[in-house]
Amino acid sequence: MLRPQESPTRELKSLDGIWSFRTDPDGVGRAERWYAAPLAGARDMPVPASFNEVVPDAELFDYVGEVWYQTTTRVPRGWRGQRVVLRFGSATHAATVWVGDAEVVSHVGGYLPFEADVTEHVTAGEPVTVTVAVDNRLSWQTIPPGYVEETDAGPRQRYFHDFFNYAGLHRPVVLGCTPHLHVSDVTVTTGLDGSTGTVGYDVAVGGGTAEVGVELRDADGRTVASGAGAPGQLRVDDVHPWRPGEGYQYDLVITATGGDEQDVYVQKVGIRTVEVRGTQFLINGEPFYFRGFGMHEDHLVLGKGQDAVSMVHDFELLRWVGANSFRTSHYPYSEEVMDHADAHGWVVIDETPAVGLNLALNAGGLAGSGTFSEERIGEETQRAHEREIRELIARDKNRPSVVVWSIANEPESDTVEAERYFEPLFRVAREADPTRPVGFANVMLAPAGACRVTPLADLVMINRYYGWYAFPGELEVARRRLDEELARWAQDGKPIIVTEYGADTLAGLHALTPSLWTEEYQVDLVTMTHEAFDGCDAVVGEHLWNFADFQTAAGFMRADGNKKGAFTRDRRPKAVAHLLRRRWTGPPLA
């Protein structure tokens, strides 16, 4: 499923804006055919955005169940005779879509795109109504998992991930047209040999049989290589590689011709290589050290809604602090974010929404009952997890910024059941993309020597909170234990990326002697942790948790969210941000 674009043969129409919106607490909308008429009793709701915080309404903030969106648009009259596609960047966590009164698509999974060919349901030049039922409920069979509890106050969604369950149409919605004969997919692989680059391509065509031709054009529009045939490989002399910090990209112009139809699709290509060699992580054959953060799509009022202003500002803060990379914790980010990363040389660890697969964490009375079982997280969940891996790789396989697939965050990983659950999922990821390393973020409950899943991975990715969750306030002890564990992981002979470390910190809270929650303690803990990293040659990356404070479910462990950010939720720097800037903008880390 290629992302729609404008090209000489394609057009787009954005459906973003104000949609009609209403909740369906009684679950009657489908039976009453709400899609067949204007939504009664609707209010305005922006798209894209989370619906939770737009309206000052406690019931909407914590709403559980289906909500309905509706808009009416006019199909451009110039699209007569074309194939018309309706595409959603995401709908959290499941959606059913109607065009007019015809159901056209359903999708499960809240962070990846889906589309429908709606050619038979629209008429060029005429209005059309689009209605979407979005369901924010999680179950034991979804990724991420959860369950709905019926309480005296009504249904409550219980989930095991430590970020708020924002919901809605979070990403752009577009109507697009293509010729009936169209480029339906392309897979690109790249290589480097000195000053020569290679671009392998494999083009799929829908709607008929076509002759395929390709041209590779540089950033100035000059053709540097060309070829014919659906699969092929191009040679690029005097190649300009895609590099961290320099997002140079070529345009692979694909032309499919059959009969009297022709389609043109332009695929961005960054020519680079990724390799794990011993304890080194190599990009273009050169050692790379990850500096950056685990991040969340999380902003005031917007929730997880995609917004260009907020996005560019976040990237500028990353640049200011000296970061070169980030992890899409704990779900795939919007395609707009990934486009920006590709274009500007950011290095990305791309993660599935598989968070909360560990009942020993944040699971209340379920802790200790075992995570992987047919009653809870079993084969059906595993199939959903596999689908998420395949859909993520299908979406982002051609992105030069993506250098690692992370298939889960902090799952149970020290049991035989966990090993059985994850072994086929690692195989799925490698079959879908044999060109990138595959890993997952390991939790402190499964330390070096005890984890049964990290041996399946190409690299070690660990989340460690020495000085916070372990030995809080005892930094000398925390340092010794961190040194010991890093040394043990290093014996595996793989590169180590510390994908989370840090401490909750209230901005503006100070003390003469560092104490928990103060800015001084956060600085001291992070300094201690960096010293441990610098003492272990196998450590090739540090991602502070988190880039910015973010919203979570309410609870006595959280005061208005998670406060581990280097920046506040409204993007004001804490003292640790200045510490990171001094470290990350100084001499390059070897």
Side-chain angles (χ1 to χ4, degrees), residues 467-468 470-475 516 521:
W468 188 249
F471 312 106
E474 302 177 26
L475 293 184
L516 300 183
Y521 185 77

Side-chain angles (χ1 to χ4, degrees), residues 228-541:
Q233 181 165 288
L234 305 178
R235 174 188 172 97
V236 185
D237 296 323
D238 298 320
V239 66
H240 191 148
W242 185 97
R243 301 183 180 95
E246 183 191 1
Y248 190 91
Q249 296 182 92
Y250 293 83
D251 285 340
L252 182 67
V253 182
I254 304 165
T255 303
T257 305
D260 58 356
E261 285 196 301
Q262 185 176 80
D263 187 27
V264 177
Y265 192 87
V266 181
Q267 174 64 54
K268 291 288 185 182
V269 175
I271 301 176
R272 61 100 182 97
T273 61
V274 174
E275 180 187 0
V276 169
R277 185 187 302 165
T279 59
Q280 291 184 315
F281 193 97
L282 307 177
I283 299 179
N284 299 341
E286 300 177 357
F288 180 75
Y289 193 96
F290 294 77
R291 306 187 307 264
F293 302 92
M295 298 179 68
H296 269 298
E297 290 182 318
D298 178 280
H299 289 85
L300 293 167
V301 182
L302 280 170
K304 294 193 178 304
Q306 168 59 29
D307 172 71
V309 175
S310 301
M311 179 190 75
V312 173
H313 185 227
D314 281 353
F315 273 109
E316 289 302 319
L317 292 178
L318 287 172
R319 189 186 311 280
W320 173 87
V321 81
N324 60 16
S325 57
F326 60 92
R327 176 169 60 120
T328 70
S329 43
H330 303 297
Y331 40 82
Y333 278 16
S334 75
E335 290 161 292
E336 290 73 20
V337 168
M338 304 302 287
D339 287 347
H340 199 91
D342 288 340
H344 295 278
W346 296 98
V347 175
V348 180
I349 298 173
D350 208 357
E351 192 159 87
T352 74
V355 57
L357 307 184
N358 194 331
L359 298 186
L361 299 172
N362 305 317
L366 297 174
S369 59
T371 298
F372 298 104
S373 68
E374 283 311 302
E375 295 74 28
R376 297 218 170 99
I377 298 174
E379 290 185 7
E380 190 171 347
T381 318
Q382 188 185 50
R383 287 193 294 271
H385 197 159
E386 176 181 342
R387 184 181 65 247
E388 294 286 347
I389 292 171
R390 292 190 185 279
E391 289 188 12
L392 172 62
I393 292 176
R395 191 194 76 166
D396 289 347
K397 62 187 175 182
N398 297 328
R399 295 190 177 279
S401 61
V402 176
V403 300
V404 177
W405 302 116
S406 175
I407 65 171
N409 177 74
E410 295 191 345
E412 176 185 303
S413 64
D414 57 351
T415 62
V416 173
E417 292 80 8
E419 184 179 3
R420 290 173 180 163
Y421 178 91
F422 277 102
E423 191 277 333
L425 296 178
F426 274 91
R427 187 167 60 248
V428 164
R430 292 190 175 103
E431 289 173 353
D433 176 20
T435 71
R436 291 176 177 86
V438 183
F440 80 105
N442 161 284
V443 70
M444 291 184 76
L445 299 178
C451 182
R452 302 178 67 99
V453 176
T454 295
L456 302 172
D458 297 307
L459 68 169
V460 177
M461 295 163 54
I462 56 175
N463 298 348
R464 290 300 182 267
Y465 290 96
Y466 287 100
W468 188 249
Y469 295 126
F471 312 106
E474 302 177 26
L475 293 184
E476 290 185 5
V477 177
R479 169 65 192 276
R480 288 198 300 271
R481 295 300 178 87
L482 177 55
D483 284 340
E484 291 168 0
E485 190 177 0
L486 290 175
R488 174 60 185 83
W489 281 116
Q491 294 175 13
D492 289 354
K494 299 177 181 179
I496 302 169
I497 304 174
V498 184
T499 37
E500 291 184 24
Y501 64 102
D504 280 283
T505 304
L506 289 176
L509 183 62
H510 297 281
L512 291 175
T513 55
S515 55
L516 300 183
W517 292 90
T518 64
E519 294 200 41
E520 288 79 11
Y521 185 77
Q522 187 182 34
V523 165
D524 286 356
L525 183 149
V526 169
T527 299
M528 174 276 293
T529 308
H530 288 165
E531 291 171 352
F533 296 165
D534 295 344
C536 181
D537 291 339
V539 173
V540 300

